[in-house]
Amino acid sequence: MSEMQFDVVFIGAGPGGYVGAIRAAQLGLKTAIIEKDKTFGGTCLNVGCIPSKALLESSEHYAAAQHELIKHGIEVEGVKLNLPTLLERKDKVVKDLTLGVSFLMKKNKITTFNGWARVVDAHQIEVTMANNIKPLITTQHIVIATGSAPIELPFLKFDEKKVVSSTGALSLSAVPKRMAIIGAGVIGLEMGSVWSRLGSEVTFLEFADKIGGTMDSTTMAQFQKILMKQGFKFLLKTKVTGAEIKDKEILLKYESQTDSSTSLAVDVVLVAVGRKPFTEKLGLTELGIELDKAGRILVNEHYQTPKYKNIYAIGDVIQGPMLAHKAEEEGVAVAEILAGQAGHVNYNTVPGVIYTWPEVASVGMTEEQLKEKNIPYNAGTFPFVANGRAKALGFTEGQVKVLAHQNTDKILGVHIVGPRASELIGEAVIAMEFGGSAEDLARSFHAHPTLSEVIREAALNVDKRARQM
Ligand code: FAD
Ligand code: NAI
């Protein structure tokens, strides 16, 4: 095989592409990966999961120093924010991790190309590299993992300074006094938390009648109440209809079913109304590769495009939740399928997390979905307020809800709002992966005192037999 011939080429080095490439190389396939951006890691590592979590962590420390430590008898005077240092720390976390991905490519002997990939035909990809060098790569299989990009509103074009997408919201050079967030979904809630903790007055303008998109409704209602106590303002059932971008401020015009005003003046607007699959200049139209109405590449259960059985697509660019771990699992599955194994993803157990304070984490079906599908279920809930570890931590808001089948007791969904929910949900994912029942959770050891005991109590409460309350 020549240097430019491969068994498989991944287009895009995000969690889908780079994890898939590693698995393919592990399985002995001659593998290459093409990335248009300077660094590897995709949205997640560069402008997504990782920088947002770094900022959430730092802003949490700042808020704790201002409002929480005093409760522990720790008096700190003169707490000051150094925003440039906070942002530099975030950039360093990103740099270390993206370099880590480059290192992993080398370690696994994956050939890397830095440039824009265009699929020329079923087996050839042209890469436009620096200095307009355009090598042609030949491959048995192509995996498209080109991810997604923020959706813009026609009257609010991103300048990434005053009208920002999530990318601009990760690097604001000053804390805005007034910030509007259009869309109270995952990005809005996380980035809103960051800037609110650093001092912004944050107002959400949300089209739907609830926050958090499709997440469990009662869990979201409880979460919204907690966030309102933190100072967030929510205008639900609200449609932003236009905007006047002035020198010093932005005037948003809106129609609301929950608020009598019709305009809001702010310093920065974050538009977080969802993301769209990214397939620009990839050559798909020329090849006749079909997209669905949402612009996602259509694939079958083996991630193959119907027209070309050797062209696959994974991650944000296909249907399903736009989550890094979903993209990763699909990367692994496609590599295993290419190596003749039974690659498979269990979409019933993809966890979803909102990394705010408190956190929200859920897996499986919501109560609304169960009702819609006429699945009989029992629900067990338990609050953090009765948990010793939550008390010691000083954070007792929130609850765990376990949903189990009425006849078989099989766990169908778990929804948590509370401290460290992102870590707690792992237990529920494993239990569901093993086809476990609420009783399995309830009868398993949970170290005392831990927050995880709230999961056990909620599981016991499916059968109305919680012990601690
Ligand atoms: P991407 O990560 O988008 O990677 C695609 C890559 O393909 C990019 O690097 C792009 O440059 C490259 N590319 C595109 N076209 C070409 C081309 N023609 N040639 C060469 N290269 C190309 N998910 C979570 O699970 N947890 C989180 O906490 C989380 N936080 C997030 C926070 C924010 C602010 C955002 C925006 C997203 C977050 N996500 C999170 C979502 C997560 O980032 C995505 O689901 C994930 O990155 C998708 O992975 P992917 O590999 O499909 O695509
Ligand atoms: P989202 O789909 O989570 O939320 C968008 C929100 O905007 C919804 O509540 C929707 O009703 C609302 N909306 C849509 N159009 C609107 C309009 N015109 N006016 C007002 N509201 C409107 O999308 P978001 O937050 O942009 O995130 C994009 C993706 O990134 C998500 O799919 C998510 O999975 C992923 N992500 C994941 C994170 C995590 O796992 N912690 C963190 C950040 C992003």
Side-chain angles (χ1 to χ4, degrees), residues 11-17 34-37 41-44 47-49 52-53 115-117 145-148 166 170 187 190 275 278 280-282 314-317 322-325 327 355:
I11 305 178
I34 309 167
E35 172 54 56
K36 68 174 174 56
D37 289 347
T43 304
C44 181
V47 290
C49 329
S52 59
K53 266 74 260 174
W116 197 295
T146 49
S148 62
S166 53
L170 291 167
I187 290 182
E190 289 187 1
R275 294 175 62 83
F278 186 84
E280 239 169 69
K281 294 188 253 167
L282 194 58
I314 56 167
D316 279 12
V317 82
M322 287 183 167
L323 295 172
H325 41 279
Y355 294 82

Side-chain angles (χ1 to χ4, degrees), residues 214 365-377:
T214 54
M365 280 192 266
T366 62
E367 284 201 67
E368 296 79 69
Q369 287 168 331
L370 291 169
K371 283 177 188 151
E372 207 180 284
K373 289 179 194 290
N374 279 323
I375 300 174
Y377 68 94

Side-chain angles (χ1 to χ4, degrees), residues 49-85:
C49 329
I50 299 303
S52 59
K53 266 74 260 174
L55 292 184
L56 280 158
E57 195 64 37
S58 298
S59 60
E60 208 171 293
H61 287 307
Y62 182 59
Q66 286 179 311
H67 314 296
E68 297 299 319
L69 294 186
I70 188 82
K71 297 177 193 162
H72 294 262
I74 302 164
E75 294 176 14
V76 189
E77 271 172 30
V79 178
K80 271 198 337 210
L81 174 69
N82 184 331
L83 187 60
T85 305

Side-chain angles (χ1 to χ4, degrees), residues 67-140:
H67 314 296
E68 297 299 319
L69 294 186
I70 188 82
K71 297 177 193 162
H72 294 262
I74 302 164
E75 294 176 14
V76 189
E77 271 172 30
V79 178
K80 271 198 337 210
L81 174 69
N82 184 331
L83 187 60
T85 305
L86 186 147
L87 295 177
E88 273 164 31
R89 176 187 174 275
K90 176 253 316 174
D91 292 339
K92 168 89 170 55
V93 172
V94 168
K95 190 174 171 204
D96 288 352
L97 285 168
T98 53
L99 285 176
V101 175
S102 298
F103 165 77
L104 287 175
M105 296 299 103
K106 274 201 198 94
K107 188 178 163 218
N108 287 283
K109 301 194 172 44
I110 296 162
T111 307
T112 58
F113 294 91
N114 216 224
W116 197 295
R118 187 172 65 85
V119 185
V120 178
D121 62 36
H123 293 283
Q124 293 195 93
I125 305 168
E126 179 194 76
V127 189
T128 304
M129 297 173 64
N131 303 326
N132 221 21
I133 300 166
K134 294 187 179 188
L136 205 58
I137 303 173
T138 306
T139 177
Q140 283 286 317

Side-chain angles (χ1 to χ4, degrees), residues 53 153 182-188 190 205-208 213 238 272-275 322-323 353 355:
K53 266 74 260 174
L153 291 176
I182 306 182
V186 200
I187 290 182
E190 289 187 1
L205 299 103
E206 165 59 56
F207 199 71
T238 298
V273 296
R275 294 175 62 83
M322 287 183 167
L323 295 172
V353 175
Y355 294 82

